[in-house]
Amino acid sequence: MQSTIQSSGQPTGSASKSFVLAAMRGDKGGQLTILAILATVIFIPLANTLLPSGHPLHVETFTISLMGKYLSYAMLALAVDLVWGYLGILSLGHGAFFALGGYAMGMYLMRQIGDRGVYGNPILPDFMVFLNWQELPWFWHGFDQFWFACLMVVLVPGALAYVFGYLAFRSRVSGVYLSIMTQALTYALMLAFFRNEMGFGGNNGLTDFKDILGFSLQQDSTKIALFVVTGIALVVSYIVCRTVIGSRLGRVSMAIRDTESRTRFMGYDVDGIKLWIFVLSAVIAGIAGALYVPQVGIINPGEFAPLNSIEIVVWVALGGRATLFGAIVGALVINYAKSWFTVEFPEVWLFALGGLFVLSTMYFPKGLIGFISDKIALMKKRSTPAQESDKEVTV
């Protein structure tokens, strides 16, 4: 593939486009997943706006916001699968990157409230007025601008991942020890954000958002737009991840996953590759958190809870590790099941989640996608000898 692109004599832009298409060409599951997401992004808004509320295909606005939340979770699962499935790093701290991106967006949304808050202060958010803060903290400056908030959504999780990854990978920390360190990082951030003096809302977090880019978050059109943007962001993130995995960098990352010492002995910059992909994964998780907050309407320290990061791993494991689209399927299926269980049987959900993980470990070690792929391969293998024997008889 690579030699074909190099020898084609196309301009750089055309070569990059060809490389992306080539990376997606062999990914039938990913193609179907992208088509399903795009079809959903097109159909759901039309079903909400064009069909009357009594129509059987009408979709309520609440359901659209709920589905937007699922899509942001799918982006988060995609980020985890990138480092766990293709790099062999079991991160139990990606909930921290998700929450940091969410807080960056939440700070922007809080600054947009202005004097419409409970206390009518045009500069200080309500929780700061309640705690007798006299001036806006330095790290809140700039969040009244959308472009600055978007920049922080990418930079803050990326910078944390870079510093953490640089220290951990340079020290050759790996395996369960690295997983414990990522979980400890998430837990430390949760404790820090719970403190009122940190300036992030303490226990209650950030909420009571009014609008984004001048559009009211209570309007149906805004909720639909956020849902569509989240779906497009998920598709773009998938293509980026698939392009990375289909490149030389991706092949080296899988070599690191399988035999890190041999890959290092061959002269590859193992630490640099691990760091680059880890940072990319953190950035995707941060963007997912930023898209999650305006659709849910709140961000609090509970998003840093280690249990959340463990739950993300369950999504990926059930869907199918090292498939990318399997992580998306797992996130969507489990979160839909969670919504159903918490309404019908709220006291059973945690047991159901544990049961799903046990069942997937015992009977679906490759996840749902791996199980289906194995069944299809087995059916093809059984049909092939029969076809060959028919040919022999005919001859």
Side-chain angles (χ1 to χ4, degrees):
M1 181 194 304
Q2 190 175 11
S3 61
T4 303
I5 295 173
Q6 291 176 349
S7 61
S8 61
Q10 297 177 347
T12 305
S14 300
S16 301
K17 183 178 179 181
S18 300
F19 182 76
V20 172
L21 294 175
M24 292 297 302
R25 188 174 297 124
D27 183 21
K28 293 183 179 179
Q31 293 174 9
L32 293 175
T33 302
I34 288 177
L35 289 175
I37 294 171
L38 293 177
T40 302
V41 166
I42 295 173
F43 172 76
I44 295 299
L46 294 177
N48 174 265
T49 56
L50 299 181
L51 299 178
S53 57
H55 196 279
L57 295 180
H58 176 78
V59 179
E60 299 293 339
T61 306
F62 170 79
T63 304
I64 293 179
S65 296
L66 188 64
M67 295 179 67
K69 183 178 75 170
Y70 293 166
L71 293 179
S72 63
Y73 282 155
M75 280 185 66
L76 179 57
L78 184 69
V80 172
D81 193 26
L82 181 64
V83 294
W84 185 30
Y86 295 93
L87 201 56
I89 298 175
L90 177 57
S91 173
L92 298 178
H94 262 59
F97 306 129
F98 179 82
L100 288 173
Y103 264 96
M105 180 56 66
M107 292 167 72
Y108 162 77
L109 296 174
M110 290 296 291
R111 292 299 307 274
Q112 299 304 300
I113 296 175
D115 58 3
R116 293 173 293 172
V118 176
Y119 298 99
N121 192 304
I123 303 297
L124 298 180
D126 285 339
F127 73 89
M128 291 186 184
V129 178
F130 178 78
L131 295 173
N132 295 320
W133 289 59
Q134 300 302 317
E135 60 181 10
L136 194 70
W138 63 269
F139 49 84
W140 275 79
H141 289 285
F143 279 97
D144 56 335
Q145 301 294 326
F146 183 74
W147 67 267
F148 183 83
C150 291
L151 187 63
M152 292 300 105
V153 164
V154 173
L155 286 183
V156 173
L160 178 62
Y162 181 86
V163 173
F164 176 85
Y166 178 81
L167 296 175
F169 302 147
R170 187 182 182 187
S171 302
R172 305 289 177 85
V173 180
S174 60
V176 66
Y177 300 103
L178 182 60
S179 300
I180 293 173
M181 287 178 61
T182 58
Q183 192 171 53
L185 173 67
T186 305
Y187 188 66
L189 287 171
M190 182 186 72
L191 295 179
F193 274 72
F194 265 121
R195 300 175 66 89
N196 288 329
E197 56 268 29
M198 284 290 291
F200 295 105
N203 295 348
N204 296 324
L206 309 178
T207 186
D208 195 29
F209 308 133
K210 305 295 184 184
D211 50 42
I212 180 171
L213 291 174
F215 298 97
S216 173
L217 289 172
Q218 305 306 319
Q219 292 182 353
D220 292 352
S221 58
T222 305
K223 295 179 180 180
I224 292 173
L226 288 170
F227 167 74
V228 172
V229 169
T230 306
I232 294 174
L234 175 58
V235 171
V236 172
S237 299
Y238 183 90
I239 294 174
V240 169
C241 291
R242 176 54 61 184
T243 303
V244 170
I245 295 306
S247 66
R248 183 170 177 265
L249 176 65
R251 291 191 290 271
V252 175
S253 69
M254 286 184 278
I256 294 172
R257 176 195 64 189
D258 298 333
T259 54
E260 180 175 337
S261 58
R262 183 177 297 180
T263 307
R264 193 183 299 274
F265 178 76
M266 292 176 65
Y268 288 101
D269 183 12
V270 171
D271 299 337
I273 293 172
K274 292 168 71 173
L275 180 61
W276 193 92
I277 294 181
F278 189 69
V279 170
L280 174 62
S281 175
V283 168
I284 294 175
I287 296 173
L291 293 169
Y292 167 86
V293 168
Q295 298 182 89
V296 176
I298 188 174
I299 179 70
N300 58 43
E303 296 296 337
F304 287 100
L307 180 61
N308 290 350
S309 296
I310 295 174
E311 190 174 328
I312 300 166
V313 173
V314 176
W315 302 345
V316 178
L318 181 64
R321 178 188 168 196
T323 58
L324 292 182
F325 67 90
I328 295 176
V329 173
L332 296 177
V333 169
I334 293 182
N335 280 285
Y336 175 79
K338 181 178 181 179
S339 296
W340 185 82
F341 269 102
T342 51
V343 172
E344 301 295 335
F345 308 100
E347 67 281 356
V348 181
W349 162 242
L350 289 178
F351 298 100
L353 180 63
L356 283 174
F357 186 71
V358 172
L359 288 175
S360 64
T361 303
M362 294 178 60
Y363 300 104
F364 309 110
K366 297 181 181 179
L368 292 174
I369 300 301
F371 175 78
I372 295 173
S373 299
D374 289 345
K375 289 296 183 181
I376 293 175
L378 182 61
M379 292 174 60
K380 289 182 177 180
K381 186 176 180 180
R382 288 177 176 175
S383 62
T384 301
Q387 293 176 357
E388 292 179 352
S389 59
D390 291 341
K391 290 181 181 179
E392 292 177 359
V393 171
T394 303
V395 172

